[in-house]
Amino acid sequence: RVTSTRRYETVNDFVPPPPAPKKVALPAKWLPIGGYKAPLILDGTLAGDVGFDPIGFAKSTKTLYWMREAEVKHGRLAMLAAVGWPLSELWHKELASLFRLDSILASSDRAPSLLNGGLSNVWVTGMLMMSIIIAGYLEGNAMNSGEVFWGADKPVGYVPGTLGFDPLNLYKVRGNKNIMETAEIKNGRLAMIAITAYVFQEFATGIPVVQQTPFLF
């Protein structure tokens, strides 16, 4: 009887754990008017998160990480392109002349591109192939770990887009990785807009972007 009584006392004294707090949608920083709320999945954890997903692409954390992985990598390429495009229009002819090589710029001294033409040049083709090989190597290493795939489980501390590349130890410059990651993603987003503008501006006008905005170059 004593054992039975103790069992009942144990059951009666059991207190269920409190329910997990319900997630609350944060205000969307990209649209600070009208009380617009960010999707629940965009909780400010990722660097540069301003709650922008009006179409609702990110349905889960795995999807969100996969899309951030793509955004970071496209942003890095765009930053290189946004710098390389105008520099090629400014310096390429002089450098080619210095080394007694033919210019590979497209018509009207525009940077070679899909819409400007000039991609059939052997040097341009070679650079494209080398870029594909380097990108394939980096992506292959990332895929070997299995973390970048859409449905893959992410380890603790996983940061989308990280390649462990920091030879100058810049992460410690400000002592806060989030600051550096936020700067990278914001500059990458701006660069993606910029390089898209270069392409269509030059295609529409036939004039190099450095001549359209001489006050910048």
Side-chain angles (χ1 to χ4, degrees):
R1 290 181 180 177
V2 173
T3 303
S4 177
T5 302
R6 287 179 180 175
R7 284 179 182 174
Y8 285 130
E9 288 176 353
T10 303
V11 172
N12 291 335
D13 292 343
F14 174 74
V15 178
K22 187 178 180 180
K23 295 186 70 173
V24 179
L26 301 176
K29 295 180 181 179
W30 70 276
L31 188 64
I33 57 175
Y36 187 79
K37 299 292 185 180
L40 288 175
I41 197 71
L42 300 179
D43 57 3
T45 302
L46 293 177
D49 180 4
V50 294
F52 182 81
D53 188 15
I55 302 179
F57 285 122
K59 301 295 186 183
S60 65
T61 301
K62 290 181 178 180
T63 304
L64 176 63
Y65 281 169
W66 185 82
M67 298 187 76
R68 168 52 68 92
E69 189 94 28
E71 182 185 29
V72 170
K73 291 177 179 178
H74 281 83
R76 290 168 180 166
L77 286 175
M79 285 188 281
L80 293 173
V83 174
W85 186 295
L87 289 184
S88 68
E89 296 178 344
L90 288 171
W91 296 344
H92 173 71
K93 291 187 72 173
E94 289 75 9
L95 290 174
S97 176
L98 178 64
F99 293 100
R100 298 180 180 181
L101 298 172
D102 295 331
S103 171
I104 62 173
L105 294 178
S107 61
S108 302
D109 292 337
R110 295 174 297 165
S113 69
L114 184 62
L115 297 182
N116 287 351
L119 294 182
S120 59
N121 184 282
V122 63
W123 293 102
V124 176
T125 303
M127 289 300 296
L128 286 174
M129 294 303 298
M130 186 173 70
S131 299
I132 291 172
I133 291 171
I134 294 174
Y137 171 76
L138 294 174
E139 283 297 300
N141 286 342
M143 288 181 179
N144 285 338
S145 67
E147 296 175 358
V148 300
F149 293 108
W150 194 317
D153 292 325
K154 313 301 183 190
V156 177
Y158 172 78
V159 179
T162 184
L163 297 173
F165 181 80
D166 188 18
L168 300 180
N169 207 21
L170 296 178
Y171 259 148
K172 293 185 178 180
V173 171
R174 297 191 180 184
N176 188 332
K177 287 186 176 182
N178 187 265
I179 293 176
M180 303 290 285
E181 291 168 4
T182 300
E184 180 186 36
I185 195 65
K186 287 186 175 181
N187 281 281
R189 290 167 180 169
L190 183 60
M192 286 188 279
I193 295 172
I195 194 64
T196 303
Y198 293 172
V199 172
F200 287 102
Q201 282 179 228
E202 291 199 358
F203 176 69
T205 65
I207 302 173
V209 69
V210 294
Q211 294 181 21
Q212 296 180 42
T213 54
F215 51 90
L216 294 178
F217 303 102

